[in-house]
């Protein structure tokens, strides 16, 4: 039927349209001043066209698969280029394209004075393409291509200002931590190849095996690396060295959700494995609490938002752990809107204050930047789950489901504490950046009159307010949400959030006029990120290198091979000969006396028969 | 004794004299030591071949092996002296200093 053809061709046109600006690189368009505008327009057209297959999918309710080009057949495994257009990829594509469109418009304002702005847009577009490949992949090979692609683009974009040492270190850190996660993904791929003889998702889901713990553990490790769960998390706050559009696109809405997306893709396998679900739940709970604690005492506005992202990622893992993949996916989509907007508002504040990122040096922006203030407050409220904004439809549902499921009570408690801390650090951002008297330099560079800036934030503002409502009311129903629960459980999320707000506000107001004495141990723990980077980045490599130097170089080479026999013998001989001997070294005299003696004896003792 | 044996014996004696009487360089005594070894080797080989004493045919080779070892020892002594004093003049060795 023609209707079905329109769906597949629209998807392919969307993906193809994104590659046109890349193919224009070798022409004169790339050296033009209007290349960023061209890229932004291409992304917006791709967004509009991608709405067609999404609407058709929501109407028809059936999954589609496009299988184009048979690449290679290795013995019994067939690899081809195939796209899986199911619930997850169909809804994620327009959301990602919408957010990327707004971010590209924002970065036209933010990176205006950069001479390499064309290359920046090319990198952003390459990132978007690889993310689309990851999301629509139907076999694990294509997913791996997208996975590695987003990792590489993350490296290139974090180290955008490569003259800065910290940026290079942060980019390398991102690659290293992601690599550790990639080992898990390769483990899962190898297991599937050896035991199920395929990399196609359909065949993996059909052949139900008994014990899937090994590949699922591999996938969990991959998600830990890519989505910055506890243990492999330090790269995410360090990745804030990149420009703000990069932070908004990669490290808030799109790349870091790739790990969670992977687990959501494989949810039919995870449904029956209680061990992996428990591990995911506990890992997510630890992550969300730990990063929320770290966010409470940071002073860089981008780092606070980065830790907020990490905390929400932990919440998504908790949702997967209680066997609700669709809720986690909904949270991914709604989270993209307000987190990208929070980063863009931070970017607006930073540029207006002449590249000042420390919140202790901001203040009084409530009247000076009204639009940015509005969107920052709306974004923070959406993040904390204020009723009937975007975050409410996903976050509140998650907390309710967690409350009413027979799950690990400790993990649940951690999640609730982290939810109240979310409100606390959001209050902190708003208090320090917006309220009070100004603490920045009196030279006024504050300007938010640029239409590029205002339009992009305005679009995401509408998304932050309405997208939750629109998306959740138009989805095909999947798992039934919990309808009835006691009063106190229903009000739990709201209550802890309000508690967090009130506590943070009271503390900030009270402590405002007090002098800051020496930091306590708890403050130091939170400010130094739990000492995790300090220990892991310095202590472990130093221990390894020290051990190898001591055992291989010192012990084996120097001591056993050199010192024990040869050097000790020579040393002993020299010392003893110096002490004992009484010779004077007159060699020629000794030789002469020897010769004389020999000759004389031969001459005189010759008389025999 | 035949002329051959006297010839070789004379070579040995001359090298022996050269080992014991030398002027300044330690290297010359080492060279004479090698000459002694060479003459001994030739004498031993000629004797064994002339008398068809096949059971002892191994002995010249063993002699060569030991000669190589002692040459190495002598050279290492030379190197020690030369690294301490810069040259191998014998008059440097008047005091036993290490």
């Amino acid at each position: 039927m023609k209707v079905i053809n329109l769906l597949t061709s629209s998807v392919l046109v969307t993906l193809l349209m994104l590659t046109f600006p890349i193919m224009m690189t070798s022409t004169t368009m790339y050296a033009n001043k209007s290349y960023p505008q061209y890229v932004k327009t291409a992304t917006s057209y791709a967004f509009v066209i991608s709405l067609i297959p999404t609407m058709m999918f929501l109407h028809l309710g059936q999954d589609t698969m496009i299988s184009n080009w048979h690449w290679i057949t290795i013995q019994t495994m067939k690899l081809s280029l195939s796209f899986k257009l199911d619930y997850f990829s169909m809804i994620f594509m327009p959301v990602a394209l919408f957010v990327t469109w707004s971010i590209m418009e924002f970065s036209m304002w933010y990176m205006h004075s950069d001479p390499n702005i064309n290359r920046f847009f090319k990198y952003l577009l390459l990132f978007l393409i690889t993310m689309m490949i990851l999301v629509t992949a139907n076999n694990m090979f294509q997913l791996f291509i997208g996975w590695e692609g987003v990792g590489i683009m993350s490296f290139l974009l974090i180290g955008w200002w490569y003259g800065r040492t910290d940026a290079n270190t942060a980019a390398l850190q991102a690659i290293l931590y992601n690599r550790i996660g990639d080992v898990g993904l390769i483990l899962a791929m190898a297991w599937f190849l050896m035991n199920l003889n395929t990399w196609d998702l359909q065949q993996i889901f059909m052949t139900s095996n008994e014990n899937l713990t090994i590949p699922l553990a591999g996938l969990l490790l991959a998600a830990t690396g890519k989505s910055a769960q506890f243990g492999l998390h330090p790269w995410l706050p360090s990745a804030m060295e990149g420009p703000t559009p990069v932070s908004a696109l990669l490290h808030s809405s799109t790349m870091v959700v790739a790990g969670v997306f992977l687990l959501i893709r494989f949810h039919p396998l995870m449904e029956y494995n209680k061990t992996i679900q428990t591990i995911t739940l506990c890992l997510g709970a630890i992550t969300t609490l730990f990063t929320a604690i770290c966010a409470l005492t940071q002073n860089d506005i981008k780092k606070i938002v980065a830790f907020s992202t990490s905390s929400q990622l932990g919440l998504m893992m908790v949702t997967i752990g209680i066997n609700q993949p669709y809720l986690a996916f909904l949270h991914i989509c709604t989270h993209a809107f307000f987190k990208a907007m929070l980063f863009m508002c931070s970017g607006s504040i930073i540029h207006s204050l002449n590249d000042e990122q420390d919140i202790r040096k901001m203040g009084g922006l409530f009247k000076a930047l009204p639009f940015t203030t509005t969107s920052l407050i709306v974004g923070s409220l959406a993040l904390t789950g204020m009723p009937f904004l975007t975050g409410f439809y996903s976050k509140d549902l998650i907390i309710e489901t967690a409350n009413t499921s027979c799950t690990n009570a400790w993990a649940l408690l951690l999640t609730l504490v982290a939810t109240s801390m979310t409100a606390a650090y959001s209050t902190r951002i708003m208090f320090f950046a917006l309220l009070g008297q100004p603490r920045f330099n009196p030279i006024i560079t504050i300007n938010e009159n640029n239409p590029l800036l205002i339009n992009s934030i305005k679009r995401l503002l509408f998304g932050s307010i309405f997208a939750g409502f629109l998306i959740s009311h138009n989805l095909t129903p999947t798992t039934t949400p919990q309808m009835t629960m006691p009063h106190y459980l229903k009000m739990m999320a709201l209550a802890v959030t309000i508690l967090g707000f009130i506590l943070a506000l009271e503390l900030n107001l009270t402590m405002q006029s007090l002098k800051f004495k020496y930091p306590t141990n708890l403050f130091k723990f939170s400010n130094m990120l739990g000492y995790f980077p300090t220990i892991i980045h310095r202590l472990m490599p130093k221990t390894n290198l020290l051990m190898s130097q001591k055992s291989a170089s010192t012990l084996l080479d120097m001591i056993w091979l050199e010192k024990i026999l040869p050097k000790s013998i020579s040393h002993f001989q020299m010392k003893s000969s110096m002490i004992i001997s009484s010779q004077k070294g007159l060699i020629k005299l000794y030789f002469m006396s020897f010769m004389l003696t020999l000759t004389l004896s031969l001459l005189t003792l010759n008389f025999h028969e | 004794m035949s002329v051959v044996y006297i010839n070789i014996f004379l070579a040995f004696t001359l090298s022996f004299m050269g080992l014991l009487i030398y002027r300044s360089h330690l290297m010359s005594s080492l060279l004479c030591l090698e000459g002694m070894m060479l003459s001994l080797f030739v004498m031993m080989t000629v004797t064994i071949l002339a008398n068809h004493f096949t059971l002892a045919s191994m002995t010249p080779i063993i002699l060569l092996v030991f000669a190589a070892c002692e040459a190495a020892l002598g050279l290492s002594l030379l190197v020690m002296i030369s690294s301490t004093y810069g040259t191998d003049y014998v008059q440097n060795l008047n005091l036993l200093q290490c």
Side-chain angles (χ1 to χ4, degrees):
Chain A
M1 290 282 294
K2 286 206 176 60
V3 177
I4 312 293
N5 279 339
L6 192 57
L7 194 147
T8 54
S9 47
S10 307
V11 168
L12 288 178
V13 162
T14 310
L15 293 176
L16 201 60
M17 192 183 293
L18 289 176
T19 64
F20 281 152
I22 307 291
M23 295 195 280
M24 287 291 151
T25 312
S26 52
T27 65
T28 57
M29 168 79 83
Y30 186 56
N32 215 349
K33 256 196 190 325
S34 63
Y35 184 74
Q37 174 79 23
Y38 172 60
V39 171
K40 184 201 77 152
T41 323
T43 316
S44 64
Y45 286 172
F47 163 67
V48 171
I49 294 188
S50 76
L51 282 177
I52 302 176
T54 307
M55 295 300 150
M56 292 174 66
F57 169 77
L58 290 178
H59 173 72
L60 292 170
Q62 71 178 30
D63 297 351
T64 321
M65 187 190 105
I66 308 176
S67 189
N68 271 344
W69 170 55
H70 171 211
W71 176 46
I72 191 174
T73 305
I74 302 180
Q75 305 228 336
T76 50
M77 186 183 71
K78 179 179 167 197
L79 285 178
S80 53
L81 177 71
S82 64
F83 300 96
K84 184 175 165 82
L85 311 174
D86 67 336
Y87 181 91
F88 299 126
S89 57
M90 277 288 104
I91 298 181
F92 188 74
M93 268 178 65
V95 169
L97 284 170
F98 183 74
V99 171
T100 312
W101 172 30
S102 297
I103 290 178
M104 281 185 176
E105 192 167 351
F106 170 77
S107 57
M108 278 167 69
W109 171 77
Y110 193 83
M111 309 290 288
H112 175 72
S113 57
D114 197 320
N116 291 325
I117 189 174
N118 289 346
R119 189 152 51 106
F120 186 76
F121 271 82
K122 185 170 78 160
Y123 284 174
L124 279 185
L125 195 60
L126 266 176
F127 168 78
L128 182 66
I129 293 173
T130 45
M131 189 70 200
M132 289 293 124
I133 293 178
L134 198 156
V135 164
T136 54
N138 196 21
N139 53 357
M140 292 198 72
F141 189 67
Q142 206 167 323
L143 194 137
F144 189 65
I145 293 177
W147 188 271
E148 291 297 306
V150 297
I152 292 177
M153 295 325 291
S154 167
F155 170 76
L156 288 175
L157 282 170
I158 295 176
W160 176 254
W161 290 313
Y162 52 79
R164 201 177 135 85
T165 320
D166 283 340
N168 287 333
T169 316
L172 206 57
Q173 208 175 339
I175 286 281
L176 286 176
Y177 276 113
N178 275 344
R179 258 292 170 250
I180 302 179
D182 288 348
V183 168
L185 187 61
I186 295 185
L187 168 70
M189 283 170 73
W191 195 94
F192 284 134
L193 183 61
M194 278 177 35
N195 291 53
L196 300 177
N197 187 32
T198 180
W199 276 340
D200 286 324
L201 294 184
Q202 277 82 17
Q203 193 170 337
I204 293 178
F205 295 154
M206 273 196 307
T207 58
S208 71
N209 216 345
E210 312 82 31
N211 199 2
L212 284 164
T213 312
I214 297 179
L216 286 177
L219 291 177
L220 184 61
L221 181 63
T224 312
K226 192 67 100 178
S227 292
Q229 301 300 305
F230 183 74
L232 297 177
H233 66 279
W235 69 270
L236 191 53
S238 303
M240 296 298 121
E241 293 286 334
T244 308
V246 169
S247 306
L249 185 56
L250 270 75
H251 306 117
S252 66
S253 24
T254 327
M255 183 182 111
V256 290
V257 299
V260 184
F261 194 85
L262 182 74
L263 285 183
I264 292 178
R265 263 269 190 261
F266 282 89
H267 76 92
L269 300 179
M270 279 187 66
E271 272 178 340
Y272 300 108
N273 200 329
K274 284 289 172 223
T275 319
I276 294 290
Q277 280 184 8
T278 314
I279 298 178
T280 316
L281 178 68
C282 296
L283 185 65
I286 293 178
T287 306
T288 179
L289 184 67
F290 180 73
T291 50
I293 291 178
C294 291
L296 286 176
T297 53
Q298 297 297 314
N299 292 321
D300 186 354
I301 190 174
K302 282 177 68 172
K303 278 214 168 43
I304 302 182
V305 188
F307 277 115
S308 163
T309 308
S310 205
S311 184
Q312 295 302 305
L313 288 172
L315 187 68
M316 291 174 207
M317 294 290 261
V318 164
T319 322
I320 297 179
I322 56 177
N323 201 14
Q324 297 285 336
Y326 295 97
L327 270 183
F329 178 72
L330 185 62
H331 195 58
I332 289 180
C333 294
T334 54
H335 172 258
F337 285 101
F338 48 78
K339 196 45 71 74
M341 189 172 75
L342 276 177
F343 268 113
M344 281 159 65
C345 296
S346 328
S348 162
I349 295 178
I350 290 171
H351 247 30
S352 295
L353 296 180
N354 202 14
D355 293 336
E356 179 58 63
Q357 286 186 331
D358 200 334
I359 56 174
R360 298 172 289 192
K361 290 193 193 166
M362 303 176 189
L365 292 173
F366 194 84
K367 297 281 170 61
L369 290 172
F371 182 69
T372 310
T373 309
T374 317
S375 30
L376 192 69
I377 294 182
V378 168
S380 299
L381 287 178
L383 170 64
T384 58
M386 163 121 169
F388 308 119
L389 289 183
T390 305
F392 173 74
Y393 289 98
S394 51
K395 196 167 173 184
D396 206 63
L397 273 180
I398 294 175
I399 305 279
E400 275 175 20
T401 318
N403 276 339
T404 54
S405 64
C406 58
T407 175
N408 199 337
W410 168 76
L412 178 61
L413 188 62
L414 259 59
T415 315
L416 286 177
V417 173
T419 311
S420 88
M421 284 187 182
T422 309
Y425 60 68
S426 298
T427 316
R428 188 162 189 260
I429 294 181
M430 291 193 280
F431 186 81
F432 276 91
L434 304 175
L435 304 175
Q437 298 297 317
R439 290 184 295 274
F440 47 87
N441 284 333
I443 306 250
I444 306 289
T445 48
I446 296 181
N447 188 0
E448 55 171 19
N449 277 334
N450 203 327
L452 288 170
L453 174 69
I454 293 196
N455 281 339
S456 50
I457 297 187
K458 203 187 295 184
R459 239 178 283 131
L460 285 183
L461 188 62
F462 281 130
S464 295
I465 301 178
F466 295 117
F469 179 77
L470 288 173
I471 292 181
S472 61
H473 280 259
N474 285 328
L475 288 176
T476 54
T478 49
T479 52
T480 320
Q482 184 75 327
M483 294 294 180
T484 60
M485 61 193 83
H487 284 285
Y488 54 90
L489 283 185
K490 184 89 182 163
M491 293 292 151
M492 177 81 76
L494 198 58
V496 294
T497 308
I498 293 180
L499 180 71
F501 272 131
I502 293 180
L503 262 179
L505 195 60
E506 282 303 316
L507 277 173
N508 278 329
L509 280 177
T510 318
M511 297 298 156
Q512 203 178 6
S513 47
L514 295 180
K515 193 172 93 137
F516 181 70
K517 289 227 281 250
Y518 298 107
T520 61
N521 280 340
L522 201 56
F523 178 87
K524 278 190 273 196
F525 178 82
S526 172
N527 202 14
M528 300 280 293
L529 314 184
Y531 308 116
F532 187 93
T534 318
I535 296 176
I536 299 290
H537 293 171
R538 293 185 207 169
L539 187 67
M540 278 179 58
K542 180 162 180 271
T543 314
N544 276 331
L545 290 173
L546 201 66
M547 279 280 103
S548 60
Q549 187 202 24
K550 289 262 179 294
S551 66
S553 173
T554 312
L555 185 65
L556 285 179
D557 283 347
M558 274 174 55
I559 295 184
W560 279 116
L561 293 182
E562 277 186 41
K563 281 220 162 67
I564 290 290
L565 283 183
K567 284 231 165 83
S568 67
I569 288 182
S570 71
H571 187 70
F572 177 70
Q573 296 291 342
M574 285 210 296
K575 279 268 157 37
S576 54
S577 63
M578 277 206 300
I579 295 176
I580 291 179
S581 92
S582 58
Q583 295 179 0
K584 292 196 177 46
L586 307 164
I587 291 191
K588 288 211 289 194
L589 199 62
Y590 304 150
F591 276 167
M592 190 72 71
S593 63
F594 177 65
M595 188 188 71
L596 272 178
T597 316
L598 197 60
T599 328
L600 275 179
S601 64
L602 279 179
L603 279 178
T604 51
L605 296 177
N606 218 358
F607 296 106
H608 63 91
E609 279 306 313
Chain B
M1 247 196 253
S2 55
V3 182
V4 178
Y5 291 130
I6 293 184
N7 208 351
I8 301 175
F9 182 66
L10 208 55
F12 177 78
T13 316
L14 275 177
S15 295
F16 189 53
M17 289 299 131
L19 175 69
L20 298 177
I21 308 173
Y22 59 94
R23 217 160 138 218
S24 47
H25 284 279
L26 195 64
M27 184 64 131
S28 50
S29 69
L30 289 181
L31 283 171
C32 291
L33 203 62
E34 295 304 308
M36 280 168 64
M37 286 300 127
L38 180 66
S39 63
L40 276 179
F41 174 78
V42 170
M43 175 179 290
M44 190 179 282
T45 312
V46 165
T47 310
I48 290 175
L49 283 177
N51 293 337
H52 297 289
F53 189 16
T54 31
L55 275 179
S57 299
M58 214 169 59
T59 339
I61 299 181
I62 299 181
L63 181 67
L64 268 184
V65 169
F66 284 120
C69 293
E70 79 177 80
L73 269 176
L75 276 175
S76 62
L77 278 174
L78 188 70
V79 165
M80 280 295 301
I81 292 178
S82 146
S83 71
T84 320
Y85 293 104
T87 54
D88 59 345
Y89 290 148
V90 176
Q91 60 249 33
N92 289 332
L93 300 175
N94 47 5
L95 281 178
L96 199 64
Q97 284 178 0
C98 290

